[in-house]
Amino acid sequence: MKVVIVKDKTQMGATGAKIIADDMRGKPRHVLGLATGATPIPLYQELIRMHREEGLDFSRTTTFNLDEYIGLDPAHPQSYRYFMKAQLFDHINIPKENTHVPDGMAEDADAFCEQYERMIRDAGGIDLQLLGIGSNGHIGFNEPGTPLDSRTHRTGLTESTINDNARLFERREDVPVEAVTMGVATIMDARRVLLLACGENKAAAVAAAVEGPVTPDVPASALQNHEHAVFVVTEDAAAGLKGDYERP
Ligand code: GLP
């Protein structure tokens, strides 16, 4: 695992977007795993700029999002499908049929999860998976305690995640309590993983993920065993790290 410490969110977005663009340029039919949350927004803005100003081409890219709330319609402003459309898909030349976000309204969620795994496999697997990190160390919606060999599954959200995400909803009671998420093993299958973290509220989770033991208690720690995982972390989110890391 490689760690790069950057000064702020803008540099985090630019560094991450360059890693993605370089990977895409090396493989025309690129399969990109995407994430939601506030953290990847500067990266998406930079990808949109690269598309507009440098001709970064998404016409043959396929995307798979990490997760989605159960019970939110794609038209709901807090659904992850809506987020992706507003933050990225509407601003680049990706065909809609190439974009996949788990279906939070599937009648049979378990069958849907199996189907999602199949779709990822049929696309040739994920070339690069983008991740954020929860303040409790979760990746996707793999909350602490999720087995490291988990595949796409239906899961309950912890109180801490519901609290963290409540800021985006009108009332705390409106936050869905369940989600569909790629599993830790699904994420580990990606050829490359890029995790972004910013903000002092992520410092403990980043330190545990990078320098703590590999344990289901901190799902992001599994990435220590990934051959091509890069963490791009702002100074404040890196405050708990003790080691010496690259600072471009
Ligand atoms: C949610 C998402 C995660 C994301 C996390 C952090 O729980 N399921 O994929 O990484 O929030 O979000 P933020 O970047 O807004 O801190």
Side-chain angles (χ1 to χ4, degrees):
M1 172 201 276
K2 183 174 149 186
V3 178
V4 179
I5 300 176
V6 293
K7 65 174 194 310
D8 57 21
K9 282 185 202 176
T10 309
Q11 203 187 354
M12 176 190 76
T15 306
K18 186 171 183 315
I19 292 172
I20 291 183
D22 285 350
D23 207 51
M24 283 176 61
R25 289 186 179 115
K27 191 176 177 197
R29 289 192 183 283
H30 193 263
V31 181
L32 187 55
L34 296 174
T36 54
T39 309
I41 291 177
L43 181 149
Y44 291 149
Q45 285 170 349
E46 178 63 6
L47 286 182
I48 293 166
R49 190 201 63 75
M50 288 169 141
H51 168 65
R52 287 187 181 148
E53 295 175 14
E54 297 168 15
L56 184 64
D57 180 22
F58 291 86
S59 64
R60 290 192 289 168
T61 303
T62 299
T63 65
F64 287 94
N65 262 79
L66 275 173
D67 48 10
E68 178 62 284
Y69 290 116
I70 287 187
L72 291 195
D73 184 89
H76 189 291
Q78 294 310 330
S79 77
Y80 286 171
R81 165 58 79 176
Y82 187 99
F83 174 100
M84 289 311 306
K85 203 171 135 32
Q87 299 295 338
L88 183 66
F89 299 155
D90 278 355
H91 312 287
I92 57 173
N93 65 331
I94 191 159
K96 181 168 188 283
E97 61 274 18
N98 290 10
T99 66
H100 307 280
V101 179
D103 181 0
M105 301 295 282
E107 252 172 58
D108 185 340
D110 294 336
F112 175 79
C113 292
E114 277 180 37
Q115 188 193 332
Y116 204 63
E117 287 280 330
R118 236 184 349 262
M119 284 159 70
I120 294 171
R121 262 199 314 275
D122 291 349
I126 293 172
D127 290 305
L128 188 151
Q129 177 66 53
L130 175 63
L131 297 175
I133 185 168
S135 60
N136 62 4
H138 75 222
I139 46 176
F141 271 129
N142 293 286
E143 298 280 31
T146 306
L148 300 185
D149 63 357
S150 52
R151 313 294 316 184
T152 301
H153 62 286
R154 176 183 190 144
T155 183
L157 307 188
T158 61
E159 286 297 310
S160 106
T161 296
I162 293 170
N163 289 337
D164 283 354
N165 293 353
R167 69 183 194 278
L168 302 166
F169 290 79
E170 233 169 81
R171 296 170 312 168
R172 190 182 184 280
E173 308 87 87
D174 296 338
V175 186
V177 294
E178 280 190 299
V180 171
T181 181
M182 285 185 197
V184 179
T186 318
I187 294 167
M188 291 294 285
D189 278 352
R191 291 176 194 98
R192 286 180 187 280
V193 175
L194 167 63
L195 185 145
L196 304 183
C198 58
E200 59 188 355
N201 63 321
K202 301 293 172 71
V206 167
V210 175
E211 295 179 347
V214 175
T215 163
D217 295 341
V218 183
S221 66
L223 298 167
Q224 289 178 29
N225 292 332
H226 196 289
E227 245 187 285
H228 300 287
V230 183
F231 279 41
V232 178
V233 181
T234 58
E235 291 281 357
D236 50 1
L241 292 173
K242 295 193 174 63
D244 203 12
Y245 301 102
E246 194 180 316
R247 290 170 191 266

